[in-house]
Structure formats: C-alpha cells, structure tokens
Amino acid sequence: MATVSHRALQLARIPGARLMSSGASRHTALYDLHKQHGAKFGPFAGWDMPLVYADQGALDSHLHTRKHASIFDVSHMLQTRVTGKDRHRFLEHLVVGDLKELPVGGSTLSLFTNENGGIEDDTIITQQDGSLYVVSNAGCADKDLAHLLKHAKIFQDKGADVEVSKVEDHSLIALQGPSSQKALEQLAGIDLSQMPFMTGSFVDIKGVPCHVARSGYTGEDGFELSIPTGEVVAITGSLLENPEVKLAGLGARDSLRLEAGLCLYGSDIDSTTTPMEANLVWTVGKRRRAEGGFIGDSIILDQIAKKGGLRRRVGLVIEGAPARAHSKVLSAEGEEIGEITSGVPAPSLGKNIAMAYVKKGFNKRDTALKVQVRNRIQDAKVVKMPFVPAKYHKV
C-alpha cells in the first residue's frame, strides 16, 4: 500500500490551471481574514484564493475536515437567480434536470449542455419560492452568465416572462464536516436535524438573513451559506470561535472532493464530455428523458438509450507514485486506452487514487490496468466511486 506524506500532499498540484487568469486577481470579502490566519494564496479563475494556512497544511486540513469541520471560502463561485413565470421552461432548456418537479427548498445537481451533447458546466439549482437559485463554478462564471443572459434575451423576445440576475451582494462559504451541524446550530439557534441533504432554506444567523443549503463538495455532511457580504467576515469569525472549526483552502478541497468521487470542471468533465461518458446520466431527470427539450438532447438521449459513447469515467487505485492529470492509462497488455484527469494521494485511505477516462469495455470494476507515471509503468485497478463513503445527512 502506498503511503501519503505531508510533503507529497503539500506539493500536489492544484488542478484547474487552465482556468486560472493571468490578469489582475480579484479578492473575496474574506481575503483579509485569510491573511490574518496565515494563508498562502494561489491564483484560481482570476481570484487570489487560499491554498493552505499557517496552522495546518493541506494534509492536516483534509483530515480535520473528515473528523471535525472546516470553512472553505467559495465566494468566487457564480450565484444567479432566475425569476418570472416561465423560469422553469427557460432553465430546463439549458440544463438536463427536472426543475418543475423540485419542491420548494429542494436542490439538484444539474448540467449545462451544448449542441454536441457536451457538458458546459455543472451546477446546483435550488427551488426557492418564486425563483430558481443557481450556483455554478468560478472557472465558468463569465461563460455561464453570458449563456444565461443570451438565452434569456431569446426567450424574452418570444414573449416569455423570465429574468436572470447575478447575486452580487452575497458571499458564499462552505462549512463541511461532521461537526458542521452542531457548529451552525449554535450560531443560528435552531435545530437542523430535520434538514436533509440537497435542500435549502432561509435562516437567520446571528440576526442576519442567509440562505443555507445542505450540500457541499467533500462527501461529508455540511452546508453552503450565502451571506450578505457586509456580514460574512463577522459570521465566519463567529463560526471559527468553535474549536472544532478551522479554515481550509483549495489544497484540501481538491483531495476531499476526489476521495468523494466528485468531478472538477475543466479536469474531469468539459465541453467534449457527455453525461453518459462521465457517468452522470443520473442527473438527467426521468421526465426529461421522455420529453427532451434541452440543448443537445438528441445526442444525449440517444447515448443513454444505446449506452453509447466511446469512453467512461472511472476511479482507479494506483500502486507506486501518484499519477497526475494527463498520465496515460494502459490495458494489462500495454495498449493505451485512456488518460488520468485527476489524481492525488488520498489522506483518508493511505493510497494513491485517480479519476480517468478509459475506452468503454475497460471500465468494469476490478479491471486490472496500468498507468504510465513519468517513465514508469505502475499497476492500477478500477474501483467503485466514491473512494470514501459519503456521509450526507438523511432524515
């Protein structure tokens, strides 16, 4: 079994480099708070974002999240709100999810798609009373907003009642880990035990109206809090007064999400990847499979019906050194059959894990494969994802 050293995880390359901006970086409202806690910053999608903190490196931060709770600043992500009586019809043209059937407070992971059946971004959509609240990736923020506004104008020109607005006065933090519920309950003064995973509601936190969604990107129980920007420093500081809550950066966030089997846009899914190839068919609602009506529906629904596509996303456990993105995946006989998209030493497992795309037929669980890491050929095996069992809260 491979072992994971502090040094190996500290030096793990933060993925998504293709999303980084070479221009002047933007700062979130928590930037000074991060500096006060000794954050080391790195550029991501045009923002200066914390990677690690002075009190603990990426490995310790990862393990702290699994055992207690961590706060991740995700204010760089795009928050939008879609309103109007035709909002469901409009957004269902752009994504694959069944939004009409979502109850108020219900959330769903969905996909923006293109004419070729590829994934333009993944997003979480929450049904609010009178609106749809959409959170999508920082690296796709400009593209997603332009896409939403373009199609809203097309719908409006045809007489539809729909408006798209960017949420600019709220910041976003993610409180993740088994101590998250207790920490948030202490601050909000309410019982959150009956709030299941993938739901959201408006909650007063220290007298401040916030939107609280039970979701996250770590595989742990947790919450994403949309907080008025003028109050986010104070609320984050109050959460940090709990000794079980610490700040965490992008280094830990990436290893946590990979252990949870969750995709990073730009690495594990992109505009050339179809839901079938990415094993994200479950995001296509039953009614949507029957009715279609979303961009790229003919290609996506045909692949679902025929189990088509040339490749499949798989999880791998790798012997030897960690395999990074773009490492070649080989069959047991040495044929090149795919490529690694993300790979890290997994702190929770003491193993090296990766996501990869392989030719269809090589994706069966326990299939023995090989991975080329630099000039070495190392053994690998297809395993079920998530690598670490999810601990999402059920009621």
Side-chain angles (χ1 to χ4, degrees):
M1 177 184 291
T3 58
V4 182
S5 69
H6 285 256
R7 183 67 173 163
L9 194 60
Q10 290 285 55
L11 294 178
R13 181 165 56 90
I14 301 298
R18 72 192 73 182
L19 304 179
M20 295 181 183
S21 169
S22 58
S25 294
R26 292 175 284 179
H27 296 159
T28 74
L30 291 172
Y31 181 76
D32 289 339
L33 180 68
H34 297 314
K35 288 179 67 177
Q36 292 167 16
H37 285 262
K40 178 181 179 181
F41 293 89
F44 186 85
W47 297 80
D48 262 346
M49 297 303 295
L51 305 179
V52 294
Y53 293 87
D55 64 336
Q56 54 181 7
L59 173 60
D60 290 333
S61 188
H62 176 115
L63 296 174
H64 181 86
T65 307
R66 291 273 184 248
K67 187 176 181 181
H68 299 295
S70 296
I71 295 174
F72 300 83
D73 183 1
V74 289
S75 301
H76 58 326
M77 297 182 74
L78 175 67
Q79 301 178 72
T80 53
R81 184 162 284 112
V82 182
T83 56
K85 65 180 179 62
D86 295 314
R87 62 188 180 278
H88 298 100
R89 180 168 63 90
F90 161 71
L91 201 51
E92 283 192 352
H93 176 61
L94 304 183
V95 303
V96 300
D98 186 346
L99 307 181
K100 293 179 184 176
E101 301 302 321
L102 267 183
V104 172
S107 301
T108 186
L109 175 70
S110 198
L111 309 172
F112 288 104
T113 50
N114 59 38
E115 296 288 355
N116 297 318
I119 300 169
E120 288 296 326
D121 199 9
D122 56 324
T123 179
I124 291 183
I125 301 170
T126 302
Q127 183 91 271
Q128 297 180 339
D129 188 11
S131 67
L132 292 164
Y133 170 59
V134 184
V135 178
S136 45
N137 287 302
C140 298
D142 293 342
K143 177 183 76 171
D144 287 354
L145 184 59
H147 186 61
L148 285 160
L149 293 173
K150 171 188 171 182
H151 284 276
K153 179 65 165 56
I154 293 171
F155 268 65
Q156 290 163 354
D157 288 346
K158 295 179 180 178
D161 177 21
V162 63
E163 293 288 341
V164 173
S165 57
K166 182 181 178 182
V167 179
E168 300 194 77
D169 56 355
H170 280 58
S171 295
L172 197 63
I173 63 172
L175 176 65
Q176 300 285 294
S179 301
S180 296
Q181 177 179 312
K182 184 177 179 181
L184 188 55
E185 284 177 337
Q186 289 174 345
L187 214 59
I190 60 173
D191 177 12
L192 295 168
S193 63
Q194 298 305 303
M195 182 181 190
F197 178 63
M198 291 303 281
T199 62
S201 64
F202 290 95
V203 174
D204 280 0
I205 303 176
K206 298 196 73 173
V208 178
C210 303
H211 184 263
V212 175
R214 197 156 204 159
S215 61
Y217 195 48
T218 64
E220 294 291 333
D221 184 26
F223 304 86
E224 291 192 348
L225 314 178
S226 182
I227 303 169
T229 295
E231 306 292 340
V232 69
V233 172
I235 289 176
T236 302
S238 294
L239 286 168
L240 289 171
E241 291 175 5
N242 187 316
E244 294 193 355
V245 178
K246 293 189 175 185
L247 291 168
L250 289 183
R253 192 165 186 252
D254 188 57
S255 55
L256 288 160
R257 70 93 191 166
L258 189 48
E259 286 187 348
L262 301 173
C263 295
L264 174 68
Y265 192 86
S267 294
D268 310 304
I269 49 175
D270 60 27
S271 61
T272 69
T273 315
T274 66
M276 189 75 199
E277 292 174 329
N279 284 322
L280 292 173
V281 167
W282 58 270
T283 64
V284 185
K286 183 178 179 181
R287 177 177 60 82
R288 308 309 310 280
R289 297 188 196 192
E291 298 177 2
F294 50 87
I295 298 173
D297 57 358
S298 60
I299 295 172
I300 292 170
L301 296 179
D302 183 68
Q303 283 195 358
I304 292 174
K306 298 177 180 177
K307 300 189 183 302
L310 300 177
R311 55 185 178 160
R312 293 290 185 270
R313 180 171 64 94
V314 297
L316 298 176
V317 170
I318 299 167
E319 298 296 327
R324 304 300 185 192
H326 308 301
S327 298
K328 294 179 181 179
V329 181
L330 313 173
S331 70
E333 293 72 34
E335 174 194 359
E336 185 176 340
I337 58 164
E339 183 178 272
I340 301 290
T341 55
S342 293
V344 295
S348 305
L349 302 173
K351 301 176 181 179
N352 293 316
I353 62 172
M355 279 190 207
Y357 280 86
V358 298
K359 287 183 182 179
K360 190 168 62 173
F362 291 91
N363 54 303
K364 186 177 179 181
R365 196 186 310 178
D366 294 327
T367 299
L369 300 174
K370 295 185 182 295
V371 174
Q372 183 175 333
V373 180
R374 300 182 183 89
N375 295 319
R376 297 187 302 275
I377 304 298
Q378 301 176 186
D379 290 334
K381 183 173 72 172
V382 176
V383 298
K384 181 182 179 181
M385 291 189 286
F387 298 96
V388 173
K391 299 174 184 175
Y392 303 133
H393 184 69
K394 298 178 181 178
V395 176

